[in-house]
Amino acid sequence: MSGTTTGGTSRRRVLRLAGGGLALAALGAGAAGCREDGVDEAGSGGSGGAEPAGSGKPSPDGGDGGGSGKGPKPLWTESVPAQTYGDNDELVAVAGMVIASGSPLKALDAATGKERWSLPEGATPGAPLLVAGDTLYLASGKYDGTVAGYSPATGEETWRGRLGKGYRQPRPVAVDDRQVYVVAEILEEDNSSHTNVIAAFDSGSGKLVWSEQRDLGTEQNGIHAAVEGRHLVYTDFKKNLTVRDTATGRQVWTQKTDKTNYGFFTVHEGLVIVPQGDRLQAYALADGAREWSLKATRFTTFKEPSVVDGVLYIADSGRTVRAVAPGSGKEIWRSEALAEAGFQVPRQYVKAGDVVYAATDLDKGGGVAALDAGSGKLRWTFNDGSGDHHAWLVATDGERVFALHGKKLHALPA
């Protein structure tokens, strides 16, 4: 998967923050009825406040070697000006830096936690941090209608794309090694906007490659997108799943999903895999045909999926985690260790070595769980004890696992 995001402030984010006690205005619903609209059951250290909970002496696998299940003591902890909403692309580890979405946007040295560079305007709140090659792509914090690319190692601007004066707030939604894909509002004469456009910029020259107007009633916020080969895939809150050709922008197919999943999906080798209630369904990118389906256990629903190192990881509302072969839907293992430990439902996954690190949504009993990648056995859990309402986010550089919770960034040994 080349790049993903949820652009803008979505209903899901509003619900997350409201669930944590913040007073936010609900987003209005857009017009309905937009055009963008197989095999079954394939098988079954540093500064930053209070001492984090579960900080036993790290063992070689990064956890407490005494078998208590306590997580490792952080290598460092720093306060950061994070402005996150729980989306997976608001924390990145790249080029020896770890960067959390915020204003100012700050890059910390991955090994020491020391600040290496800062952008005063930062990233637009809610916009993603997308990385392709040696470039970090951001919606401009200056609100000047541009999308910019920066060196993640130095913070220097290396690329810029602009749609023009007839558009407002272009936001990157996905990137690959050739193009940057953005969504922007189309401005009317009175400066209002009722439609939006999806477009592609050349990642070398910054020139516009193609631009396609989306249907009336579609929204420019709340989009989650990914690139797989010649296919740009995205979902929205109208329960639309849409695929476009990356070379021309032509719409290949679109269909309504059975149930909303807040826009989250994953792609792998010609398939787009979408959780829909108690079903996990895989569709062919070429034509939208359903390739396989996996059913959750009774009274549970699937959460966010992620393909990491060729394996699909997904949890259900009963706190069961599955490792699944993404090509066939066949289960590799099923673990109920998190439910047995009283841990919360994970929603994001990264892998380092033979360990999968899973981060939970907002909950004072959540945090980061380390699972054996081969069996699903729980090694340890980590919570900083802050009680912060924000969801947890994780990223890794292979040597360390970075856990962001609110405005606290922890570096854990991988």
Side-chain angles (χ1 to χ4, degrees):
M1 191 154 113
S2 300
T4 62
T5 183
T6 304
T9 304
S10 65
R11 292 183 181 88
R12 179 173 206 247
R13 292 167 170 169
V14 171
L15 290 171
R16 276 184 172 150
L17 295 175
L22 293 183
L24 295 178
L27 296 176
C34 305
R35 183 176 61 89
E36 270 195 315
D37 302 353
V39 178
D40 194 30
E41 302 264 3
S44 19
S47 61
E51 176 88 0
S55 53
K57 182 179 180 181
S59 68
D61 66 3
D64 185 347
S68 66
K70 291 182 178 180
K73 183 176 180 179
L75 300 169
W76 53 259
T77 297
E78 293 291 342
S79 294
V80 292
Q83 293 174 301
T84 63
Y85 297 91
D87 290 320
N88 296 351
D89 45 28
E90 295 175 314
L91 178 71
V92 296
V94 59
M97 306 293 165
V98 56
I99 308 167
S101 180
S103 184
L105 188 71
K106 293 186 177 182
L108 305 186
D109 187 286
T112 66
K114 302 302 181 183
E115 182 181 326
R116 294 304 181 197
W117 57 261
S118 176
L119 294 177
E121 291 83 12
T124 302
L129 307 176
L130 297 181
V131 177
D134 56 357
T135 305
L136 170 67
Y137 295 96
L138 303 172
S140 174
K142 296 180 179 179
Y143 295 92
D144 59 357
T146 62
V147 178
Y150 299 85
S151 165
T154 66
E156 296 179 0
E157 184 176 318
T158 58
W159 182 91
R160 183 168 287 262
R162 183 188 295 272
L163 273 174
K165 295 182 178 180
Y167 304 91
R168 180 169 57 196
Q169 294 311 309
R171 292 171 180 252
V173 294
V175 295
D176 58 22
D177 57 0
R178 295 174 292 110
Q179 294 179 158
V180 183
Y181 305 90
V182 304
V183 172
E185 298 175 338
I186 301 174
L187 291 178
E188 306 293 339
E189 291 185 359
D190 62 357
N191 210 39
S192 66
S193 179
H194 309 289
T195 54
N196 62 89
V197 65
I198 188 163
F201 290 99
D202 186 278
S203 59
S205 66
K207 293 182 178 179
L208 184 66
V209 178
W210 54 257
S211 176
E212 294 286 336
Q213 181 173 329
R214 298 177 68 220
D215 295 330
L216 183 66
T218 58
E219 299 175 358
Q220 74 279 1
N221 292 326
I223 290 177
H224 182 66
V227 188
E228 224 276 340
R230 282 285 299 269
H231 299 101
L232 170 66
V233 192
Y234 55 95
T235 57
D236 60 27
F237 289 108
K238 302 295 183 182
K239 302 181 182 179
N240 297 311
L241 178 65
T242 303
V243 177
R244 290 184 181 271
D245 186 287
T246 58
T248 65
R250 178 183 61 86
Q251 185 169 290
V252 180
W253 58 266
T254 187
Q255 68 181 45
K256 290 286 186 180
T257 55
D258 296 335
K259 298 180 180 180
T260 183
N261 65 0
Y262 302 108
F264 279 85
F265 65 90
T266 191
V267 295
H268 180 73
E269 294 185 352
L271 296 177
V272 53
I273 304 167
V274 187
Q276 300 182 61
D278 64 353
R279 290 274 179 177
L280 183 64
Q281 296 182 339
Y283 302 94
L285 286 174
D287 56 13
R290 194 176 77 172
E291 296 295 322
W292 58 259
S293 177
L294 182 65
K295 195 175 188 305
T297 54
R298 193 178 183 187
F299 305 126
T300 64
T301 56
F302 283 116
K303 300 301 181 180
E304 292 95 324
S306 183
V307 174
V308 182
D309 200 17
V311 176
L312 170 67
Y313 298 97
I314 190 167
D316 62 33
S317 57
R319 295 180 285 183
T320 295
V321 180
R322 292 171 172 82
V324 178
S328 65
K330 182 177 180 180
E331 284 190 8
I332 300 170
W333 52 254
R334 182 187 299 194
S335 172
E336 298 179 357
L338 295 185
E340 293 169 356
F343 202 63
Q344 300 305 310
V345 179
R347 45 157 297 277
Q348 184 193 9
Y349 307 85
V350 298
K351 184 182 178 186
D354 60 354
V355 180
V356 174
Y357 300 89
T360 69
D361 211 330
L362 58 92
D363 195 290
K364 65 180 181 180
V368 177
L371 300 170
D372 185 281
S375 66
K377 180 181 178 181
L378 179 62
R379 294 193 178 189
W380 50 259
T381 62
F382 173 85
N383 186 297
D384 60 10
S386 68
D388 191 285
H389 62 270
H390 284 85
W392 286 80
L393 295 173
V394 289
T396 183
D397 61 1
E399 298 181 21
R400 292 158 289 263
V401 174
F402 305 99
L404 179 66
H405 190 211
K407 294 184 182 298
K408 295 294 184 183
L409 180 61
H410 311 280
L412 308 174

